[in-house]
Amino acid sequence: MKTIMTVDDSASVRQMVAFTLKNAGYSVIEASDGKDALSKIGAKVDMVITDLNMPNMDGISLIKALRAMPACKFIPIIMLTTESQAGRKQEGKDAGATGWIVKPFKPEQLLSVVQKVLR
Amino acid sequence: MEDIHRQAFRDEAADLLAELETALLELEDAPQDSGLVNRIFRAMHTLKGSGAMFGFDDIAQFTHEIETVFDKVRDGLLPVTKPLLDLTFQAKDHVRLLFENDGGDISGYLASGTAILEGFRALAGGGGDHAEAPGAQAGAVPAQEADRERMFRIRFKPRPGIYSTGNNPEYFLEDIKSLGPARVFAHFEDVPPLRELDPQSCHIWWDILLATSSTESAVRDVFMFVEDECDLSVTPMEATCDDKVPMLGEILVERGDISADQIERAVAGQRRLGSILAESGVVAAKSVEAALAEQSIARDRQDSRKSAPEAASSLRVSADKLDRLQDLVGELVIVQAQIKQAAALLGNEAVVNLAEELERLSDDIRDSTLSIRMLPIGSTFSTYRRLVRDLCASLGKEIDLVTTGEDTELDKTVLDRLADALIHLLRNSIDHGIELPAEREAAGKPRKGTIRLQAEHSGGDVVIEVIDDGKGIDPARVRAKALERGLITEHTELSPQKTLELIFLPGFSTAEAVSNVSGRGVGMDVVKGVVESLRGSIALSSELGRGSRVTVRLPLTLAIIEGLQVRVGDQGYVLPLELVEECVELDKQDLEVCTRKRIVNLRGQVVPYISLREWFSFPGPVPSIEQVVILGMNGQRVGLVVDNVVGEHQTVIKSLGPVFRKLDGFSGATIQGDGSMSLILDVKRIVDMALEQAGRESER
């Protein structure tokens, strides 16, 4: 079973993401911000879905930190952007994000993106 | 959107609003504190983003504009002033009102909301980008011409660093193929020599030809995440595919791989254009190959247009017809076995060859026929999801049903008969296994229980498991209940595992009270009966406080098995080949040493055996050489001693008549190549019976 980590400071988004992914047969690890994510990344995570705006450590820094780890160098990392501003998205892509989902999104959209990058 | 998510968001929003208020109050005292501004921005940001996601559009719209203002404050473009703080306090109260009146009439608040927003716009100097509302995603693709098939020429040249963004070019190619028939050509020209090769970079690029009914933007969407980081061209090929098949030269020119002049010059050589071009080096061999294939696709398409309309891709056939077909295949396999045997006796090489050919064909026919009857087990899983949801609601429990292996295929007959048994197992887990949310929390577990329903292939079997993380089964309670029901006596000594298995006895139920969920008079004994009637087995394991696991093993199909034919005396028997590990000769010397213990020494390993001759009380002398068939069952090895091993054999299972159905140890009968009948041994049952018998003997 593939393991996906969802990183978001909004508990409701986390819950929705986790619920959707678990129903689709993925195992899910939840983290509330970049720091929390790095402390939980541990064993085997096949994919990360992260928000960008978070306290302690934001999404961009998290992506950079993950890409610096050998185990996470090539895994898909999807960022959640509310901002439709191209700037943040580009920043995320430069940091090494695989793709993005623009909030608000529906569970089906989430799943289709996951299936696009994780096989 | 499900209500639990809305409720979760509502709870979170209450926290966010409280956080907002605290931050605002602190900011009033320390207007220069950028950390506080950040906190306010984030709170607004989450309200907006999550709000829109869970259907609170009015709130999302409202907070979007405030977020915009605070973005400016954050960037130092706007100062923190008293009017700004006042407005933000008002805005916060307004959001709270919107939440409280969610679903009700909010028309009364619209005016005040608009007034607050006007205030913000005035503060922001009217420069806000409020025209852009959240949720306004890119406009829908016009559906025009969506279902007309056309061709696209795609060139996809990723940057070498594509892997370090977590993207995999292979997936894009797969996605393209899912849109319609596609031909993919990889270009290896840019791959550097081995010693310069960076394995973490991508040096390959692709030309793809795609025939699809999707639109160009749907094709481009496949590359959405990398569009800016690769050279991508998607060109529709409208004119060329309908009228005439294009010439190779035309294609190359159109692709920009070569100019018309170069072709003219090359054609002067009067040889095949492709080889000329490749040899003269004006264009890479790969490009020629790709272009040639494009030509052939266009040709194919033209041909297919001429032929009759495409046949339907699936048919509905009544199950009766399939049953009949399966019976016929069964007969065919029997006749084929007879022919094979007869041919071997005749010794005519031509006939033997024909018989072998026939065997190969009938194997194929058998496999295809059986595969027609196979259905993915996932088709029944969806009904269970609903069941779990409804039961949870009525019992006040919170349970996630996680299913895996939906595409594992099982014979339709097996699937139909299994459905009720699985429902019963799930009910048991929901009703007796998973605790109430409060109990779970007290036990230090997540509120939400998890039930896993998984299916997978394992050897010749399909294994279906129902696993819950509930309270498990208490052997002490099982024992007490069994005593109460008179199923065992005070003196019966049982291992914990054997105690658990008491649950499978008729008339057993551990529920304290008969609930309307699992106490319907259908017990685990019925489940066991169903599974065994399908030639399967069921096992139960449980850890107190951690959960329990029921494992059901079923054969792939009911009709035909691979069998090993053996003989004892003048009688033939068939053993399921999937259980057979090896056949060895029984060493008489070993035998004499341990006659009473019934044990053989298999390369230093001790393997217990059962003599079929003894088991069936065959009269007559024991032959001088006997064979042992070593069977592997549940990780253990058991030997069956027979007179001789005849060989592998397709076995069509015929059920025994009603008179013999109750006979233990047989799962059916079959007709042999020579027309005689053999019994199919239910070896698992025989081993169980032998163990019971041995147990009784040792008690004495």
Side-chain angles (χ1 to χ4, degrees), chain A residues 56-105:
Chain A
N56 297 325
M57 181 193 265
D58 67 12
I60 305 281
S61 317
L62 172 65
I63 297 173
K64 286 183 184 155
L66 288 175
R67 284 290 181 235
M69 296 164 59
C72 299
K73 199 168 174 193
F74 300 116
I75 65 169
I77 303 180
I78 292 291
M79 50 186 169
L80 301 181
T81 56
T82 14
E83 288 132 295
S84 9
Q85 294 118 304
R88 285 296 261 178
K89 205 160 84 181
Q90 192 54 49
E91 230 181 296
K93 281 165 80 173
D94 293 344
T98 308
W100 59 89
I101 306 175
V102 178
K103 286 200 270 187
F105 56 86

Side-chain angles (χ1 to χ4, degrees), chain B residues 436-468:
Chain B
L436 289 166
E439 267 176 66
R440 291 183 61 88
E441 277 186 341
K445 297 193 206 178
R447 273 178 76 82
K448 226 176 189 185
T450 306
I451 297 181
R452 291 180 188 284
L453 179 56
Q454 52 195 46
E456 61 174 9
H457 282 289
S458 164
D461 291 345
V462 169
V463 178
I464 301 166
E465 290 190 298
V466 178
I467 306 162
D468 68 58

